[in-house]
Amino acid sequence: MSLAEPAALPVATSAAPRLNVLKRFMERFKTSLPAYLLLLPSLVFLALFTYGAMGRVLIDALYQRATPKAPVRFVGLDNISAVLADPAFTGAVVNNLIYAVGTAVPSIALALLFALALSRTHAVTSALRAALFLPVLIPMVAASALFLFIFLPNVGLLDYYIGRLLPVLPNWLGDPDIALTAIMVITIWKNAGYYMLFFLAGLQAVPEDVMEAAHLDGAGPYMRLRHIILPELKPTFLFVTVIATLNAVTQVDHVFVMTQGGPSNATNLVLFYIYQQAVEHYDIGKASAATLLTLAALMGLTALSFRTMANREGGP
């Protein structure tokens, strides 16, 4: 008996930590169970309509179907190669890049200008903030219908007011040289007030004592803007730039309503190209491949932007 007792000690000693770990896990699980139950509807929604949809797109990009009733055929990466070789996709990417820059830069500049002008809170600025934010509440389809009436040749509001100033009235949505610029206007009008809210929030973080000290030292408004306000707003600039870029890729309702990608594909954006491949041509594989390429580019841009933001915040 004396020889058997020492042999039993290591077994009990090794089992004790496992029991403690299991006990702590169960305690944490019981504590976190209500939170996971509250998150369950959102997790199910994400699994079905976000990650499940992404998985379906990934699978569809590897197959090809000629007609709705034809059997699917595995083609591997041929759909991606076909998309990259398609001149229509290249043109849509170029249009989207021009559209992104042409809408993000003016929208952000106007948002910053509005935020600086309305940073003081009183009755007048509150009313102006509400007026500038009002376009955000209008659905894009309704706003597109409104601007479609504004841009109507000869009878639209724009031609009515500037017709006496120009010798020849342009066809705002029918001229390939200016159609993309015309649809940029509606995006700038709709998003500037939205981005203004982020800059207003960022301005609240600017230290008042530093601004007062700079004012007492003789720094004018421009010097305070350049050396105090803009450096403090760098994270806000980066965040708003990411949001504006995502909006430039995902907002396509106005293209459906106003131009249908024309004239001569001058306003054909990437998302509308995907719609054409999936719905009009019923090329699900090609549409899925274009979706994967777009999603990969957006994820890479977003990851790079937030990594840059983290490096700036953690730097000296």
Side-chain angles (χ1 to χ4, degrees), residues 46 73 89 156 190 195 208 255 288:
L46 286 173
R73 181 169 59 91
F89 178 75
K190 187 166 172 52
Y195 303 148
E208 288 290 341
V255 177
S288 300

Side-chain angles (χ1 to χ4, degrees), residues 168-199:
V168 179
L169 293 177
N171 189 349
W172 303 102
L173 299 178
D175 188 345
D177 295 331
I178 60 176
L180 187 62
T181 304
I183 68 170
M184 288 180 189
V185 173
I186 182 175
T187 306
I188 296 171
W189 171 78
K190 187 166 172 52
N191 291 339
Y194 177 57
Y195 303 148
M196 176 191 68
L197 296 182
F198 295 106
F199 285 111

Side-chain angles (χ1 to χ4, degrees), residues 5-256:
E5 291 178 358
L9 290 175
V11 177
T13 305
S14 60
R18 296 178 183 177
L19 292 175
N20 291 334
V21 171
L22 182 60
K23 185 178 180 180
R24 288 196 300 268
F25 173 78
M26 292 302 298
E27 291 177 353
R28 292 179 180 176
F29 178 76
K30 291 179 180 179
T31 304
S32 305
L33 183 59
Y36 284 114
L37 290 176
L38 292 173
L39 290 173
L40 184 61
S42 298
L43 294 176
V44 172
F45 184 86
L46 286 173
L48 292 178
F49 299 103
T50 301
Y51 301 113
M54 290 173 59
R56 178 60 186 271
V57 168
L58 179 61
I59 294 173
D60 288 341
L62 303 176
Y63 290 86
Q64 190 177 55
R65 177 183 294 171
T67 61
K69 295 183 179 180
V72 294
R73 181 169 59 91
F74 180 79
V75 294
L77 300 179
D78 289 352
N79 285 324
I80 295 179
S81 301
V83 169
L84 294 176
D86 190 354
F89 178 75
T90 305
V93 171
V94 173
N95 289 339
N96 231 137
L97 291 175
I98 298 173
Y99 175 78
V101 175
T103 56
V105 174
S107 298
I108 295 174
L110 286 174
L112 177 61
L113 180 63
F114 294 153
L116 291 173
L118 305 176
S119 59
R120 303 290 182 182
T121 302
H122 48 78
V124 176
T125 57
S126 298
L128 291 175
R129 290 178 189 176
L132 292 172
F133 185 75
L134 185 62
V136 182
L137 304 178
I138 302 175
M140 180 59 87
V141 173
S144 302
L146 173 64
F147 273 82
L148 187 62
F149 173 72
I150 294 174
F151 287 136
L152 278 177
N154 299 321
V155 296
L157 290 178
L158 191 59
D159 284 357
Y160 177 81
Y161 285 107
I162 70 170
R164 302 166 185 172
L165 304 177
L166 298 178
V168 179
L169 293 177
N171 189 349
W172 303 102
L173 299 178
D175 188 345
D177 295 331
I178 60 176
L180 187 62
T181 304
I183 68 170
M184 288 180 189
V185 173
I186 182 175
T187 306
I188 296 171
W189 171 78
K190 187 166 172 52
N191 291 339
Y194 177 57
Y195 303 148
M196 176 191 68
L197 296 182
F198 295 106
F199 285 111
L200 285 172
L203 289 174
Q204 303 302 316
V206 178
E208 288 290 341
D209 53 347
V210 177
M211 293 289 291
E212 293 177 1
H215 179 69
L216 294 175
D217 289 341
Y222 174 75
M223 297 296 291
R224 295 197 298 271
L225 174 66
R226 179 180 177 183
H227 296 286
I228 300 176
I229 297 176
L230 292 183
E232 290 289 336
L233 290 178
K234 281 184 179 179
T236 306
F237 268 108
L238 188 56
F239 179 77
V240 172
T241 301
V242 173
I243 298 299
T245 304
L246 294 176
N247 285 337
V249 177
T250 57
Q251 287 183 345
V252 75
D253 300 13
H254 51 323
V255 177
F256 279 93

